[in-house]
Amino acid sequence: MEIIRVLPGLHMLAFAVGQAYLWRDPGSLTLVDAGSAGSGAAVAEAVRELGHEPGDVDRIVLTHFHEDHAGGASELAELTGATVMAHRLDAPFVRGDAPGPPPDFTDAPGWERELYEELPPLPAAPPCRVDRELADGDVVDFGGGARVVAAPGHTDGSIAIHLPAHGVLFTGDAIANVEGRTILGVFNLDRARAMESFRRLAALETETACFGHGDPIPRDAGAALRRAARAAGDGV
């Protein structure tokens, strides 16, 4: 795992597949997403390398239930004692009460299905407690007031996290930024709803965008997202 500084107080933890983000407030850490199963020890070590202790992580906010985002949550919840949060529609899958639905490729380009079938499977996400179920418009106590923005389409309970005080947006997998291209996230349950969410997130006042897959955009991200949303819409 690689630790990449995005901003003062914000680091990306890059795994073999996907990434998580560590946000620092005075006296408190917040983890946005948790990597795949088995990531807990590496995340804890990263926290120590950045001058903190795992117990300083007060909350783990999951953008959705997929294995590469929620798989490490159970181990990290145990290591840190953090409060675990997820949208109410994805919380049952995080808890292991039911299996999460697979993507629907009905309206997706053919290469998406091919990519999905070629990727090696990730380890299953162990069931994890969800201490707080989130909904659109909720405010979480970090980053000067982190606003939950519902972004359904990738999963029904996908969320983004917007920090208006800092101009930072965590998109989860609603948007990706890979190989220099900002695109609609892949492997969606509902591609049309995912496009609506892309446009909603692009309309936010954002300086720095952090994605579930691909490099962050550290400056003038809002303009980049709006250009990408228009381009994605033209291709639907």
Side-chain angles (χ1 to χ4, degrees):
M1 189 191 72
E2 186 178 3
I3 305 171
I4 299 169
R5 181 183 182 273
V6 181
L7 297 170
L10 173 60
H11 289 81
M12 182 174 77
L13 310 180
F15 307 103
V17 177
Q19 49 226 21
Y21 294 89
L22 190 69
W23 177 272
R24 185 184 73 240
D25 287 308
S28 177
L29 299 177
T30 298
L31 189 65
V32 178
D33 286 331
S36 57
S39 298
V43 172
E45 182 57 30
V47 169
R48 293 188 182 97
E49 286 186 33
L50 291 169
H52 308 281
E53 291 298 325
D56 296 333
V57 178
D58 289 321
R59 59 196 68 77
I60 300 168
V61 184
L62 302 176
T63 61
H64 60 292
F65 74 83
H66 285 160
E67 295 91 338
D68 52 333
H69 294 260
S74 178
E75 183 181 5
L76 283 164
E78 186 70 24
L79 285 170
T80 65
T83 298
V84 180
M85 307 181 191
H87 190 278
R88 62 180 181 81
L89 294 179
D90 273 22
F93 310 129
V94 175
R95 292 188 178 111
D97 296 339
D104 183 343
F105 294 101
T106 302
D107 298 319
W111 62 264
E112 270 196 36
R113 183 190 293 273
E114 293 172 6
L115 177 61
Y116 183 77
E117 292 173 350
E118 290 170 0
L119 288 173
L122 290 168
C128 179
R129 58 180 167 83
V130 176
D131 303 300
R132 178 179 172 185
E133 295 189 5
L134 300 171
D136 186 46
D138 284 353
V139 176
V140 181
D141 187 21
F142 76 96
R147 186 164 298 276
V148 176
V149 184
H154 185 64
T155 69
D156 289 340
S158 283
I159 58 172
I161 302 295
H162 187 222
L163 310 184
H166 300 274
V168 173
L169 177 67
F170 301 96
T171 72
D173 279 359
I175 310 172
N177 188 48
V178 292
E179 298 179 353
R181 296 181 60 229
T182 306
I183 61 171
L184 178 71
V186 297
F187 309 157
N188 297 299
L189 281 179
D190 186 323
R191 184 176 172 84
R193 291 184 81 198
M195 268 307 310
E196 292 174 5
S197 294
F198 192 163
R199 288 189 286 267
R200 183 184 189 194
L201 298 184
L204 298 172
E205 292 296 323
T206 302
E207 179 68 14
T208 301
C210 299
F211 307 94
H213 298 273
D215 296 332
I217 300 176
R219 294 183 184 84
D220 203 20
L225 295 182
R226 286 186 283 277
R227 288 193 299 269
R230 286 193 296 270
D234 291 342
V236 170

